[in-house]
Amino acid sequence: MKEKVVLAYSGGLDTTALIPWLKETFDYEVVCCCVNCGQGNELDGLDERAKLSGASKLYIEDIVDDFSDNYIMPCVQAGAVYEHKYLLGTSMARPAIAKKLVEIARKENAVAICHGATGKGNDQIRFELGIKALAPDIKIIAPWRMTDVWTMQSRDDELAFCQAHGINLPFDASHSYSRDRNLWHISHEGLELEDPSQAPNYDDMLVLSVTPEKAPDKETEVTMTFEEGVPKTLNGKAMKVSEIITELNRLGGENGIGIVDIVENRVVGMKSRGVYETPGGTILMAAHEQLEELILDRDTMEAKKKIGSQFAQVVYEGKWFTPLREALQAFVESTQKYVTGEVKFKLYKGNIIKAGTTSPYSLYNESLASFTTGDMYDHHDADGFITLFGLPLKVRAMKLLEVEKNKNNK
């Protein structure tokens, strides 16, 4: 019997060309695995295409709820945003996909896992760190780095290769944006985005959204409830996290929410430019933060901001299956115990506008916050506090004056 390789299969030209290439180059039996993280209609027709291309089997594994509950929500709760803008849509999905690829490889007794990520991007790191952490004995094949045996350098080359192997595909050689889509977002790279001096061609690019200019001249009111940091209802209806994100994608997309043009620093050392559509994710992150600011004390919020930034870095670099990510997540989870309540906001032309927040664990005290004197706050207490709080500044200033005075007396 031939040895088996599990191919991370999307159904696109690159991974379809990999099927006959793997059989021809390594004499493997190719088992395809497409992991559904919410790609939508991109999954249509994959089974027939994989079989016609020479795969012995195709698994289509639905992990939408696992992705939502165990990868997205930890990042939402952490407030994990890479370089202030990127909400980690691709970064979060790759370890979830890697885990499923390993499961299928074990089930099929495969000796190798193959992915079609390029040698310039972040995904090769994320896939391979995940596989190494979960299955160090399984070989990893990355064709785009194997330039001695992978000689195809363009879509034309891949189409010609497929046609030579009797595989006729519904693709053409014309170039388009390079996209990655899942439940959380869709990313766009290539074409005019490769020149930072050029504005994005949003009319041709956007899939989930409209630009704020084209959004309705009317506010959309939204109410959400959370329990221990997890969203539970949207506009009065109880839903799973994946269902809430799906509906927020619709609402956010209609109102031009979450379109971001980024130049980011890749792990491999280069800068890259992309446009990310994350309508539902942007709303969910904002709603969670809106509730947290009412509940978390100052010191915890400050510590959590630092942890959130570090969490984003860890996830971006593909280090999901590490003790550090587990430890950071444990801290974040401990902060979510009382993040329970209701948030109201309005969506309007790219903006998320607060419209009220309530929680049984709110630390906001109207008596303390009011300009009128309340029972819990004596204005005279501020005298001693400011004296002690400002003591280091005063001592330093006195020392500088003393030094300056000594200089003038010489």
Side-chain angles (χ1 to χ4, degrees):
M1 292 179 64
K2 291 183 179 181
E3 292 183 326
K4 293 181 182 180
V5 60
V6 170
L7 171 64
Y9 188 63
S10 69
L13 178 57
D14 290 345
T15 55
T16 300
L18 279 172
I19 298 172
W21 181 84
L22 285 165
K23 295 175 69 176
E24 187 176 279
T25 306
F26 299 103
D27 197 30
Y28 281 140
E29 176 186 339
V30 180
V31 176
C32 289
C33 180
C34 176
V35 182
N36 176 18
C37 298
Q39 296 94 302
N41 58 12
E42 291 181 12
L43 302 174
D44 296 345
L46 290 195
D47 190 56
E48 182 181 6
R49 187 177 305 161
K51 297 288 179 60
L52 288 174
S53 303
S56 65
K57 191 182 295 186
L58 169 67
Y59 288 88
I60 297 181
E61 298 291 303
D62 187 336
I63 65 164
V64 171
D65 285 329
D66 176 46
F67 177 46
S68 300
D69 297 339
N70 299 314
Y71 296 85
I72 289 176
M73 282 313 302
C75 291
V76 171
Q77 291 177 339
V81 182
Y82 181 70
E83 294 188 340
H84 308 295
K85 292 183 180 179
Y86 174 41
L87 301 188
L88 301 171
T90 303
S91 311
M92 295 185 294
R94 295 316 188 217
I97 294 170
K99 184 178 180 182
K100 184 56 66 173
L101 291 173
V102 168
E103 288 178 15
I104 299 302
R106 295 298 192 205
K107 181 177 180 179
E108 291 287 336
N109 293 314
V111 298
I113 294 173
C114 177
H115 67 78
T118 73
K120 284 187 174 182
N122 294 316
D123 282 344
Q124 57 182 338
I125 300 167
R126 296 164 183 155
F127 281 133
E128 295 185 34
L129 263 59
I131 295 166
K132 288 176 188 294
L134 299 173
D137 56 309
I138 292 181
K139 181 180 178 182
I140 299 171
I141 300 174
W144 282 98
R145 301 202 304 263
M146 304 169 67
T147 53
D148 53 335
V149 288
W150 176 265
T151 57
M152 290 172 275
Q153 298 297 315
S154 67
R155 289 176 67 85
D156 284 311
D157 292 343
E158 290 175 322
L159 282 168
F161 178 80
C162 289
Q163 288 167 0
H165 289 76
I167 305 167
N168 295 310
L169 298 170
F171 305 119
D172 58 46
S174 62
H175 192 62
S176 62
Y177 294 105
S178 174
R179 291 185 166 108
D180 177 75
R181 181 175 183 175
N182 58 43
L183 178 69
W184 187 247
H185 86 158
I186 182 166
S187 64
H188 312 266
E189 293 179 341
L191 298 186
E192 77 279 355
L193 298 180
E194 293 183 347
D195 181 354
S197 71
Q198 299 297 310
N201 186 355
Y202 287 123
D203 289 338
D204 288 342
M205 179 191 305
L206 297 179
V207 175
L208 301 175
S209 317
V210 298
T211 59
E213 295 89 338
K214 294 183 177 180
D217 294 323
K218 180 184 176 183
E219 298 171 334
T220 299
E221 297 182 352
V222 182
T223 301
M224 293 181 65
T225 63
F226 289 79
E227 292 178 14
E228 296 187 5
V230 178
K232 294 296 182 180
T233 69
L234 176 59
N235 290 333
K237 184 179 179 181
M239 300 183 189
K240 297 188 296 185
V241 173
S242 60
E243 294 170 336
I244 288 174
I245 295 171
T246 299
E247 180 62 10
L248 289 177
N249 275 333
R250 184 185 71 80
L251 296 172
E254 291 173 352
N255 287 279
I257 307 293
I259 303 167
V260 181
D261 181 356
I262 305 174
V263 175
E264 71 191 63
N265 291 292
R266 286 183 179 173
V267 181
V268 293
M270 70 182 72
K271 288 186 181 291
S272 67
R273 185 195 186 194
V275 167
Y276 295 93
E277 295 178 70
T278 321
T282 300
I283 297 169
L284 181 54
M285 295 279 276
H288 180 264
E289 184 179 333
Q290 181 176 331
L291 183 58
E292 269 194 337
E293 68 183 19
L294 202 66
I295 295 161
L296 298 186
D297 63 273
R298 180 187 178 192
D299 287 344
T300 302
M301 285 192 74
E302 286 299 313
K304 190 169 174 291
K305 284 180 184 178
K306 297 172 185 175
I307 293 293
S309 178
Q310 188 176 10
F311 198 97
Q313 187 89 13
V314 166
V315 176
Y316 188 83
E317 293 178 354
K319 298 175 181 176
W320 187 274
F321 300 109
T322 61
L324 177 57
R325 192 274 306 169
E326 292 173 1
L328 294 173
Q329 187 170 329
F331 169 84
V332 171
E333 287 176 352
S334 73
T335 70
Q336 299 301 295
K337 183 177 180 180
Y338 301 111
V339 182
T340 295
E342 181 183 83
V343 295
K344 297 179 180 179
F345 49 89
K346 299 175 182 179
L347 309 177
Y348 181 70
K349 290 190 174 294
N351 296 291
I352 303 170
I353 305 163
K354 291 180 184 179
T357 317
T358 56
S359 169
Y361 302 108
S362 172
L363 297 183
Y364 183 90
N365 185 294
E366 190 171 349
S367 175
L368 283 172
S370 173
F371 283 104
T372 58
T373 301
D375 295 337
M376 294 179 63
Y377 192 92
D378 187 334
H379 288 267
H380 296 98
D381 292 340
D383 287 336
F385 169 75
I386 295 171
T387 297
L388 295 178
F389 195 64
L391 191 58
L393 285 75
K394 184 174 182 179
V395 170
R396 181 177 182 273
M398 291 172 66
K399 177 56 67 175
L400 291 176
L401 283 173
E402 181 184 332
V403 171
E404 190 64 27
K405 184 178 180 180
N406 291 336
K407 281 183 182 178
N408 294 334
N409 291 335
K410 288 184 179 179

